[in-house]
Amino acid sequence: MADDEQLRAALIEDLDAGFEAVVRAHGDVVHAVARRTSDRTADAEDLAAEALLRAYRALRGYTPERIEGLILRPWLLTILLNTARNDRRDAARRPRTDGVAPVPDRASAAPGPAERAETGDLGDRLAGLLAELPVAQRTAVVLRHVVDLPVAEVATVLACSEGTARSHAARGLAALRARLTADTTEETA
Amino acid sequence: MTDTPTADRPAPDPLLAGLRDLAEPAPTTLTDRVVDGWVRAPSPLGEVYAVAGAGGVRLLRTAAHAGDLEVFLEEYRTRHGRPVRPATRPPRGLLPALRGTGGPPELDLTDVGDFARQVLAATARIPAGQVRPYGWVAREAGHPKAVRAVGTALARNPVPLLIPCHRVVRGDGGLGQYLSGAGDKATLLAGEGLDLDRVADLAAAGTRLIGSDTTGVVCFPSCHHARRITDAHRRGFASLDRARAAGYRPCRDCRP
């Protein structure tokens, strides 16, 4: 991004003011990825905020030289995906005691992604189908096609080669296309 | 924007368009949830610094006690791991609360432990101009034996003035310590209309509770019911047990 250089300079100049600028510049993409890769959509803002705070805490320990070398967007998204993974692991390990309802299982009365996929408009159906993809494919599709990252950045975030990133995204996309066509055929049949 | 235009597909791909439409912008509240804001505000103890996030006020300190603003902010960043910037305006309700003309503003106590939160919640229920002993707070917080721990929790009150830890005093009637010094505690209580000379006299006389021999109800001396008892009917007690033995029942408002 063109203004990443300005953002890095702002972070070095005044970490807190610079960080606010970083949140304004990259908050949308961090939130969108949180929303489309986490199963609890209501928590997307929490997750995005938590990841951004982790990024801030990391920055506090970074030297100016290290900040100079940061490519902010993939760095923030890597932190986001790690945060989401830790949250999922923690949620699985211990039941919540804070009074918030636990993650509903698929047997609940509320429509699951599959049901939503069959009833809603294209956006809802896509969101539902996306949620059913294997994690690697889902993440790759979200990074590559929802928030429109270049393949190189997708590969950085997934910590894999560009070829692997491209293949995860392509297979995810193909699976979505197949499900979407199948659903549409069922509807018109 | 596909990676490699593999086929002649002049019409836009509805799948790719649909996926791009899933990238909704973040709620406008996201920045406020991540970056906290600080303000200076006037208070009965002079200027205070307050830090608030989207969930409410998180920290308040008197300038006299906190010292240099930059040091205060840096300590906040280190302790809470949160960025903090000058706020455009004070959090809603902060200024009236500091003037004593309104209830507390929204408070964010998520960084406070469960026990301390219960202690602070009990403390928040003490009316202006009244005082309660540490033991009372311990009991109200559901941990009657944790009297010392109550003192520790109140000494770490992140939002003094807004949660009135200055209204918690020693069981023997002495005012006890305060975050920014015992002098500040006396200033605040006197400012709320508490008669400090009378408090000292009662403490010296060993009187902990005041009863009315017409109603048979016994109160903390600063309870508004106790203050209405006329001299002729006022009875002092050294303990609730003594009052009970004399046939008195505890006040339902101040719950001695």
Side-chain angles (χ1 to χ4, degrees), chain A residues 40 88-103:
Chain A
R40 285 178 284 162
R88 274 200 297 276
R89 196 190 54 209
D90 290 353
R93 269 191 197 159
R94 52 181 158 75
R96 297 183 78 150
T97 54
D98 57 3
V100 175
V103 189

Side-chain angles (χ1 to χ4, degrees), chain A residues 16-17 19-20 23-24 27-28 31-32 35-36 45-46 48-49 52-53 56-57 60 122-123 126-127 130 141 144-146 148 151 166 173 176-177 180, chain B residues 1-4 9 13-35 74 77-78 80-85:
Chain A
D16 291 48
F19 194 74
E20 182 173 2
V23 174
R24 292 194 190 283
D28 281 348
H31 178 268
R35 172 111 164 75
R36 297 305 169 190
E45 197 184 354
D46 285 345
L52 289 166
L53 285 171
Y56 173 77
R57 283 163 204 158
R60 279 181 63 81
L122 179 66
L126 268 181
L130 200 51
V141 169
R144 180 72 191 91
H145 297 294
V146 176
D148 214 15
V151 173
R166 201 178 268 119
L173 207 56
L176 286 178
R177 204 182 295 283
L180 211 54
Chain B
M1 193 169 57
T2 47
D3 219 11
T4 44
R9 202 181 289 138
D13 183 339
L15 174 58
L16 293 180
L19 284 171
R20 268 198 296 277
D21 285 346
L22 292 181
E24 299 146 9
T28 51
T29 47
L30 182 62
T31 308
D32 289 340
R33 287 186 52 174
V34 175
V35 184
E74 198 52 26
R77 293 174 185 125
T78 306
H80 297 270
R82 302 176 65 93
V84 56
R85 300 264 298 129

Side-chain angles (χ1 to χ4, degrees), chain A residues 78-157:
Chain A
T78 304
I79 294 173
L80 173 77
L81 294 177
N82 286 338
T83 306
R85 195 160 36 236
N86 291 345
D87 279 2
R88 274 200 297 276
R89 196 190 54 209
D90 290 353
R93 269 191 197 159
R94 52 181 158 75
R96 297 183 78 150
T97 54
D98 57 3
V100 175
V103 189
D105 58 30
R106 285 291 155 82
S108 74
E115 286 85 347
R116 279 206 308 275
E118 278 153 28
T119 54
D121 63 2
L122 179 66
D124 287 345
R125 286 165 65 193
L126 268 181
L129 293 174
L130 200 51
E132 301 203 321
L133 290 181
V135 175
Q137 288 181 22
R138 177 185 186 176
T139 312
V141 169
V142 168
L143 295 175
R144 180 72 191 91
H145 297 294
V146 176
V147 296
D148 214 15
L149 256 53
V151 173
E153 265 187 56
V154 178
T156 306
V157 176

Side-chain angles (χ1 to χ4, degrees), chain B residues 15 50 55 145 148:
Chain B
L15 174 58
K145 290 182 178 163
R148 261 171 194 283

Side-chain angles (χ1 to χ4, degrees), chain B residues 44-45 99-100 128-129 166-167 183-196:
Chain B
L45 296 179
R99 274 197 304 266
H166 59 277
R167 296 177 196 150
D184 278 356
K185 196 170 193 171
T187 304
L188 287 171
L189 291 171
E192 292 179 354
L194 186 72
D195 183 342
L196 294 178

